[in-house]
Amino acid sequence: VALIKGAVQLGIRIFDTADCYDETSDGKGGQGASGHNERLLGRALYESGIARTDFCIASKCGFVTRDWSIDLS
């Protein structure tokens, strides 16, 4: 969080994130797979006091980091 806040203070407004970036994202529901990385980013940006609309947050979709299949039988 401190690193993100420092980047914001330096004027960085674009952040790239995804649950697959966290080292615990092992496909078994670790912190990364549950959005831990995104929560840290959100906390840091919120605490910066700068409007959310002033940031660009890139993310990923379509990466399968765990088994999302559901048995409906």
Side-chain angles (χ1 to χ4, degrees), residues 3 6 11-12 14-15 26 31 35 47 49 55-56 58 62 65-67 72:
L3 182 64
I12 303 298
I14 300 173
F15 293 90
D26 56 7
Q31 283 187 323
E47 291 177 1
F55 293 100
C56 177
T65 59
R66 60 182 148 179
D67 183 8
L72 299 175

Side-chain angles (χ1 to χ4, degrees), residues 1-72:
V1 173
L3 182 64
I4 296 168
K5 287 181 179 181
V8 169
Q9 290 175 349
L10 291 172
I12 303 298
R13 297 293 183 266
I14 300 173
F15 293 90
D16 185 6
T17 186
D19 68 354
C20 61
Y21 286 168
D22 192 289
E23 65 185 23
T24 60
S25 183
D26 56 7
K28 298 177 184 171
Q31 283 187 323
S34 64
H36 180 71
N37 189 35
E38 287 85 351
R39 283 192 298 277
L40 290 177
L41 177 62
R43 181 176 131 201
L45 298 184
Y46 176 79
E47 291 177 1
S48 76
I50 298 172
R52 165 62 183 92
T53 55
D54 289 343
F55 293 100
C56 177
I57 302 172
S59 191
K60 316 296 168 293
C61 64
F63 290 110
V64 178
T65 59
R66 60 182 148 179
D67 183 8
W68 288 94
S69 61
I70 299 172
D71 183 8
L72 299 175

